[in-house]
Amino acid sequence: MTEAKFNIAVLIDGDNAQAVLIKQIIEEVSKYGKATIRRIYGDWTTPQMNSWKEALNHYSINPIQKFSYTTGKNSTDSSLIIDAMDILHGSSVDGFCIVSSDSDYTGLAKRIREEGLFVMGIGRKNTPIAFVNSCEVFTYTENLMPAPPKAETSKRSSKKTAAVPATKKNTKPSDKREYSQIDLADVDKAFEISAIEDGGTNISKLGLALRKIDPSFDPRTYGFKTLTQVFESIDKYQVLKNEVNGVNHPLVKLK
């Protein structure tokens, strides 16, 4: 899925997505393939779509106009679904990314998977679980939010804190508070599925197993940058360095 030839259609529900995160959304999709088709659906005659207009040309996104004929309802959902089916049967892509938090796309995600194509979703944490679990990968937009800029400290405050080592900001107890929110039953299940005979497994295999159990599993949800950091913080597991052709492919084992 990481090859350049793996083409993904990115279909954005303009009524349920955030324009401010479009850069992060495209970058997230690029982890799995190339976003060859980029479309956003909405009623461009309404003020709420103004936030998207600057991003259209910058990120080469094709706007699709859909009028709202009835108050309180829109035709965005049906238009996106119809286009997705046309693209699906046109065999021009290898996967889809649906950017929305709307449960109406649950059936579409299931249909795409039935055809054997990759499907990912990007939406808020309040996205219905049915839609989340219908995708192979689901990324919460909260995990894509840019980190807030660090507050500038005055010279006076710097002197007061100079005696405190910077490394103490990321201590094990802090990590444990983060991973206590993780469903350790899912982590153990993923390890059991992917473990080889000697009781260890490659971190990448663990990641795939976790995604199969929970499509929304993401280290960033729990305050970690990588899956390796997650397992380094769990007492029962140990992460070992494993270099192959000069590249480290960490192994995870039970202590």
Side-chain angles (χ1 to χ4, degrees), residues 99-236:
V99 183
S100 179
S101 304
D102 196 332
S103 62
D104 288 348
Y105 299 109
T106 301
L108 173 62
K110 290 179 179 178
R111 184 68 182 86
I112 293 171
R113 290 189 67 174
E114 287 177 357
E115 291 294 322
L117 271 68
F118 171 78
V119 57
M120 71 179 294
I122 297 179
R124 295 184 296 273
K125 284 187 178 180
N126 63 356
T127 302
I129 194 65
F131 179 33
V132 173
N133 287 340
S134 296
C135 300
E136 289 183 60
V137 173
F138 196 95
T139 300
Y140 293 125
T141 53
E142 288 82 353
N143 290 333
L144 301 180
M145 293 287 186
K150 294 182 179 179
E152 293 184 5
T153 56
S154 64
K155 293 182 179 179
R156 180 179 298 178
S157 62
S158 297
K159 290 181 180 179
K160 289 182 179 180
T161 59
V164 181
T167 54
K168 288 191 175 182
K169 292 181 180 179
N170 296 313
T171 59
K172 283 293 182 180
S174 176
D175 290 344
K176 291 181 185 300
R177 283 196 294 274
E178 296 289 359
Y179 89 69
S180 64
Q181 303 172 41
I182 298 175
D183 189 336
L184 291 180
D186 285 349
V187 171
D188 293 340
K189 179 77 171 178
F191 181 82
E192 180 183 342
I193 291 172
S194 56
I196 50 181
E197 291 183 3
D198 64 356
T201 185
N202 190 286
I203 195 73
S204 61
K205 289 184 179 179
L206 262 174
L208 291 173
L210 275 167
R211 284 289 195 178
K212 289 178 181 178
I213 296 170
D214 178 7
S216 67
F217 186 89
D218 189 332
R220 293 170 294 186
T221 301
Y222 311 102
F224 298 99
K225 290 184 178 180
T226 66
L227 187 58
T228 298
Q229 292 178 350
V230 172
F231 278 91
E232 286 176 341
S233 300
I234 303 177
D235 287 336
K236 67 187 293 184

